[in-house]
Structures are given as structure tokens and as C-alpha cells.
């Protein structure tokens, strides 16, 4: 008796993709060797394969930029943490001062110690 097996989908096979063409030091496409042309926004484009051409170390440049951004974000987080800590301490101080003021005010509002004369008048 054949048993029913769940059909597993075949793993997706991704075809090997060649690295994108880059701009050579001579200013041409690394793939087809054609001289790059300038498109809008000073982008360099290969007129043959229409690849957007960047210098080969462009990714390294991007990585450096990303690391710089990460570093800046880390510093900002640290600064925010310190500011938050200072804010919390300030709030704690203010709360303590207010509590002391309340205690002092309550002390003033306390009726002076009376003898039992007042209660006895109720008879
Ligand atoms: Zn090309």
C-alpha cells in the first residue's frame, strides 16, 4: 500500500550571478570594455550593457560609510542613555524636594495640640 507522503517543494535553485560590472581605472565597463558614458546625476553607465558603473572599491567605500554611521549611531545611543540617566536623576531630586515641601507644609497645617475641652462640649 503506497503511503501518502507530503510533497516537499524543491529547494529554490538560484542561478549563479556574475558580479556586476564595474568601472575600470580607464573609465570603461569591466564587462564589455566600452567607455562609460555619463547619464543623469553624473551616473556612469555602460552604453553596451546599460550597467550602472561604479569604481570597484565602491562597496568598500560604502562599507566605510556604513561603519561611520554605525559608530555615530552608537555614540548617539550612548549620549541619549546618559541624558536619560541625568533626566531620571533630576526627576528623582525634584520629587524628593516636593515630598520634603509637602511634609513641611503638612507640619505647618497640623492643628496645635489641643486638650480634650472641645470634645467634652458635645454633651
Ligand atoms: Zn558593459
Amino acid at each position: 500500500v503506497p503511503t501518502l507522503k507530503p510533497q516537499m517543494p524543491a529547494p529554490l535553485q538560484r542561478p549563479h550571478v556574475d558580479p556586476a560590472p564595474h568601472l575600470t581605472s580607464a573609465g570603461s565597463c569591466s564587462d564589455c570594455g566600452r567607455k562609460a558614458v555619463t547619464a543623469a546625476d553624473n551616473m556612469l553607465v555602460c552604453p553596451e550593457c546599460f550597467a550602472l558603473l561604479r569604481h570597484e572599491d565602491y562597496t568598500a567605500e560604502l562599507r566605510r560609510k556604513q561603519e561611520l554611521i554605525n559608530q555615530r549611531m552608537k555614540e548617539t545611543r550612548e549620549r541619549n542613555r546618559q541624558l536619560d540617566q541625568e533626566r531620571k536623576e533630576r526627576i528623582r531630586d525634584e520629587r524628593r524636594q516636593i515630598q520634603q515641601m509637602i511634609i513641611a507644609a503638612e507640619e505647618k497645617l497640623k492643628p496645635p495640640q489641643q486638650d480634650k475641652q472641645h470634645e467634652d462640649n458635645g454633651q
Side-chain angles (χ1 to χ4, degrees):
V1 180
T3 54
L4 266 168
K5 272 188 176 173
Q7 286 276 314
M8 293 298 284
L12 188 67
Q13 291 287 323
R14 289 182 192 280
H16 173 73
V17 178
D18 287 324
H22 61 265
L23 191 70
T24 66
S25 52
S28 46
C29 175
S30 67
D31 205 40
C32 50
R34 291 284 298 269
K35 188 96 179 147
V37 295
T38 304
D41 294 328
N42 289 326
M43 290 188 303
L44 288 170
V45 177
C46 172
E48 185 73 24
C49 57
F50 302 111
L52 178 63
L53 298 174
R54 310 246 193 217
H55 285 288
E56 200 173 15
D57 66 346
Y58 183 69
T59 50
E61 195 184 313
L62 280 184
R63 264 199 302 279
R64 270 198 304 278
K65 271 185 189 165
Q66 186 62 54
E67 277 167 20
L68 215 79
I69 289 170
N70 287 350
Q71 178 65 26
R72 228 172 280 157
M73 277 169 61
K74 200 175 144 195
E75 287 169 6
T76 303
R77 268 200 302 273
E78 178 62 25
R79 199 162 53 238
N80 284 345
R81 202 187 58 76
Q82 282 178 3
L83 287 175
D84 195 53
Q85 184 67 25
E86 287 173 13
R87 196 176 54 86
K88 278 178 183 162
E89 280 171 16
R90 205 159 50 236
I91 288 173
R92 210 177 302 143
D93 281 353
E94 283 174 7
R95 197 174 290 158
R96 203 176 300 135
Q97 283 176 18
I98 289 171
Q99 276 171 353
Q100 283 169 358
M101 284 164 69
I102 289 172
I103 289 169
E106 280 175 348
E107 285 293 327
K108 274 185 196 162
L109 282 176
K110 260 187 193 167
Q113 288 295 322
Q114 293 177 347
D115 40 20
K116 292 217 163 189
Q117 189 188 350
H118 194 71
E119 283 175 29
D120 293 341
N121 285 348
Q123 287 288 359

